[in-house]
Amino acid sequence: MPPTQNSASTLDLATRIRQKLTMQRFMHLVGADLTTIEPGRVEAELALEQKHQQHRGFAHGGLVATMADLVAGFAAVTLVPDNYGVVTADLRVSYLHPGVGEKLRAVGWVLKAGRRLHFCEAEVWCDDKMIAKASATMAVVEPVQ
């Protein structure tokens, strides 16, 4: 994982990312919130509710994948200029355990940031158990001229 920083620039980064979050409607729909924003690293949490469950009472696999995608993507966003964006080019999720508990926590980080592609990883935890591991490739989207 990339090193963490505690500086004024990190506060500016958090403000910039939170402004971008206002357009992330699906994240708000499921009830997720970013709890940590650092250069190349993001964490998100979600209180599990009945609406998040599949038919056996586990956290739905699509929700788990969404959480992984969210943190991997926003980890990449922290490393691109403000007028740039990222989109998911590839997402692979391995489900390790069923998500049964009170809270999902997802951690995402950038392994390698490139000019056009960022290679990222994510883990999704349910309470204190890792339930999924993901790798993602994020494509950098340049501003429209």
Side-chain angles (χ1 to χ4, degrees):
M1 284 190 228
T4 60
Q5 299 176 359
N6 287 327
S7 66
S9 65
T10 301
L11 293 176
D12 295 337
L13 174 66
T15 300
R16 182 172 65 89
I17 297 302
R18 292 217 177 272
Q19 287 173 346
K20 289 185 179 226
L21 284 174
T22 61
M23 297 303 291
Q24 186 57 261
R25 292 178 183 96
F26 190 68
M27 182 189 89
H28 298 298
L29 177 68
V30 298
D33 185 39
L34 293 190
T35 55
T36 301
I37 301 168
E38 299 170 347
R41 186 175 186 281
V42 168
E43 293 186 23
E45 291 184 357
L46 177 141
L48 279 174
E49 300 176 28
Q50 189 174 17
K51 67 181 179 181
H52 298 124
Q53 297 173 353
Q54 47 86 289
H55 65 284
R56 299 195 64 146
F58 307 147
H60 192 280
L63 174 68
V64 174
T66 294
M67 293 293 287
D69 183 52
L70 172 73
V71 295
F74 270 100
V77 168
T78 67
L79 300 180
V80 299
D82 195 35
N83 58 339
Y84 282 59
V86 301
V87 295
T88 306
D90 182 62
L91 177 66
R92 294 184 183 132
V93 181
S94 296
Y95 298 91
L96 309 173
H97 298 282
V100 179
E102 302 295 315
K103 178 175 71 172
L104 288 186
R105 182 175 61 89
V107 181
W109 60 94
V110 177
L111 292 173
K112 181 185 182 300
R115 192 168 59 86
R116 297 202 180 267
L117 297 174
H118 285 32
F119 299 93
C120 306
E121 288 190 342
E123 297 173 350
V124 181
W125 295 74
C126 188
D127 296 339
D128 293 327
K129 182 180 261 189
M130 187 179 3
I131 62 168
K133 179 79 174 179
S135 64
T137 304
M138 299 293 165
V140 177
V141 178
E142 297 181 10
V144 177
Q145 299 284 328

